[in-house]
Amino acid sequence: MARFAGARVDLRLTLMDSAQAFHWREFDGAFYAVLRGAPVKLWAEADGVAAAPSDADRAQALNHYLDLERDYGALVEQFSAFPVAREAIGRLPGLHVLNQDPWEALVAFILSANNNLARIRQLVLSLCEAYGDRYELDSHALYAFPAPDRLAAAPEADLRALGMGYRAPFLLRTARQVCSGFPLDELCRMDYEEAHRTLLQLSGVGDKVADCVLLFGCGHASAFPVDVWVERLMADWFGVREKGRLKVQRRAREMLGGAAGILQQYLFHCARTGALPVNRKAGGGAGLGV
DNA sequence: AGCCAGGTTTGGC
DNA sequence: GCCAAACATGGC
């Protein structure tokens, strides 16, 4: 068993409740998924996190996946110019931004378009169960994310039967693009602008989904996905009331800098859960008195 | 019944 | 470049 002593990450919040990954499952207080072709179990201990099964490579991979290298304690100081940032960060101790596989983030967030969290999770799990390799751990069946070629070979009607709806052809086209040489693994080495521009070539990927892939799957911490909630919160809490979401994204990245995306997760979660108040109509707000 | 959900695509100016 | 409509599905 591998131990990550002193790890402050809140597993349930980060893996299940923060809407950045959708394929983790919880059994008896532990969290299970297939990572890099092998099933993993994570659970909280008195001082840190434990993982099984364990080997040196896996521990190293998990350390990165859970973003344990980042100094989350420094975030409040880093965003001290924005009182609402302190408020949001303080309310969500242990929320980390995962370093996921870019393909997995890409698939999950294509499915996220104009969709709700419960259904995104259901679709991702269905996709894994239908096309991913099956594993078993602690007598629980676990399914890996299907590789691009597995998805590319699926009939569109079958994807629709799983509930993908109009996103089925997007997913198919993107799977084929990835199979025929799209540089998914090089996005992490490109600068943000180039990586963002490159992702827009994929079917079903617009500005927002591209930013999710960059933030959750490519280590681009400055990527700042602007969805309905973030659009509202940027208007209400930061006074950013630009017309389009891309403009809001640009303003936010200027204001918040290299870790904009990390803060985005805290803000997004507070807005979505109502922990901090936002107006439903974007731009209508009187602001927050903090 | 109608609106909403971590939007994108398409087609018209 | 900006704008509106269409797009599947399920929960409330």
Side-chain angles (χ1 to χ4, degrees):
Chain A
M1 174 199 323
R3 291 182 193 282
F4 302 93
R8 305 276 183 81
V9 59
D10 181 329
L11 293 176
R12 181 173 289 106
L13 175 59
T14 299
L15 300 174
M16 307 295 292
D17 297 339
S18 68
Q20 40 178 329
F22 301 92
H23 63 295
W24 284 88
R25 303 194 59 192
E26 178 176 1
F27 301 106
D28 298 322
F31 303 90
Y32 295 79
V34 178
L35 242 49
R36 299 188 174 197
V40 197
K41 171 189 185 182
L42 293 174
W43 66 97
E45 296 207 321
D47 176 35
V49 168
S54 99
D55 58 75
D57 280 355
R58 179 149 300 277
Q60 181 58 38
L62 278 170
N63 197 66
H64 180 59
Y65 183 85
L66 296 172
D67 207 28
L68 298 181
E69 308 103 329
R70 186 182 304 275
D71 181 7
Y72 280 82
L75 281 180
V76 167
E77 172 69 16
Q78 185 168 357
F79 293 108
S80 58
F82 308 97
V84 69
R86 166 186 292 274
E87 189 71 24
I89 295 166
R91 282 174 181 266
L92 299 169
L95 175 60
H96 280 208
V97 173
L98 298 170
N99 293 114
Q100 302 181 59
D101 178 88
W103 167 246
E104 298 183 2
L106 177 58
V107 171
F109 283 94
I110 285 176
L111 294 177
S112 78
N114 196 30
N115 213 340
N116 60 61
L117 299 184
R119 233 168 68 80
I120 298 165
R121 183 182 308 283
Q122 175 215 316
L123 291 178
V124 168
L125 289 173
S126 301
L127 202 61
C128 292
E129 193 164 334
Y131 298 101
D133 292 330
R134 183 183 193 277
Y135 296 85
E136 202 161 307
L137 184 57
D138 296 345
S139 78
H140 299 297
L142 302 170
Y143 297 87
F145 248 87
D149 60 321
R150 296 291 297 280
L151 231 52
E156 182 182 324
D158 291 13
L159 294 181
R160 284 186 183 268
L162 291 178
M164 310 285 158
Y166 63 87
R167 307 171 190 84
F170 299 162
L171 208 52
L172 271 180
R173 270 181 247 156
T174 281
R176 289 173 187 145
Q177 284 173 277
V178 169
C179 287
S180 45
F182 181 89
L184 200 49
D185 292 325
E186 286 155 44
L187 297 171
C188 61
R189 276 174 252 124
M190 300 179 190
D191 63 55
Y192 167 83
E193 297 292 347
E194 183 185 3
H196 190 267
R197 197 181 329 119
T198 302
L199 272 167
L200 291 186
Q201 299 169 20
L202 294 173
S203 178
V205 178
D207 296 317
K208 190 270 177 182
V209 170
D211 280 323
C212 286
V213 175
L214 292 174
L215 178 59
F216 301 130
C218 303
H220 279 281
S222 79
F224 193 88
V226 179
D227 70 329
V228 283
W229 291 104
V230 176
E231 184 177 28
R232 291 167 188 158
L233 110 226
M234 286 305 296
D236 283 3
W237 303 345
F238 293 83
V240 173
R241 302 169 194 287
E242 319 290 74
K243 295 277 183 182
R245 291 185 187 172
L246 180 58
K247 287 183 179 174
V248 174
Q249 181 251 62
R250 290 190 178 128
R251 279 286 310 280
R253 294 187 71 246
E254 288 169 14
M255 292 173 70
L256 303 173
I262 309 298
L263 180 62
Q264 190 269 12
Q265 277 309 278
Y266 290 84
L267 299 171
F268 168 76
H269 196 270
C270 283
R272 186 179 66 77
T273 60
L276 295 176
V278 282
N279 289 299
R280 284 283 169 147
K281 288 181 299 182
L288 191 71
V290 289

